[in-house]
Amino acid sequence: MADIGGCQVKPEELKEIVSAYKDTSDVKRVQSTGLHVAGDKYVVIKADDRSLYGKKGKTGILIVKTTQAILISHYPETVQPGSAATTVEQLADYLIGVGY
């Protein structure tokens, strides 16, 4: 299991994330089925080759793939989704820039 700030991501949830990245369709399957992370289901609002964004009420998840890692982040309702996305995407850019 992966641990995200006290939330554990189960192996089957990680497989779901990896499957979403392997889906090469214009409209990824995950956009209609949703995504599960740490036991919660999120409505996927963005899905491309690099990023998956999900919403659940006023909270959300941001998943960004780098060369060697998949960043999974959660933002609470007190954080603006755009600010969270900018931070996570910039971290991913930095990691990609240093070969990770």
Side-chain angles (χ1 to χ4, degrees):
M1 281 193 227
D3 186 51
I4 307 170
C7 298
Q8 293 188 338
V9 181
K10 298 174 185 166
E12 59 269 18
E13 294 171 337
L14 290 173
K15 287 180 185 175
E16 197 175 331
I17 292 167
V18 170
S19 291
Y21 280 118
K22 288 182 177 179
D23 184 349
T24 58
S25 308
D26 285 338
V27 177
K28 294 181 181 276
R29 183 173 180 266
V30 72
Q31 290 174 283
S32 61
T33 61
L35 193 61
H36 297 85
V37 175
D40 291 324
K41 183 175 180 178
Y42 293 86
V43 174
V44 175
I45 57 174
K46 176 182 178 181
D48 59 32
D49 294 340
R50 173 181 157 131
S51 305
L52 301 169
Y53 292 7
K55 291 277 291 173
K56 180 183 176 199
K58 295 182 179 182
T59 67
I61 55 166
L62 303 163
I63 304 170
V64 183
K65 182 175 68 168
T66 69
T67 307
Q68 298 183 41
I70 296 176
L71 305 176
I72 304 173
S73 62
H74 174 269
Y75 61 89
E77 62 183 70
T78 56
V79 174
Q80 291 294 319
S83 296
T86 298
T87 301
V88 176
E89 293 284 356
Q90 286 177 346
L91 175 58
D93 288 340
Y94 169 76
L95 291 172
I96 291 167
V98 296
Y100 194 78

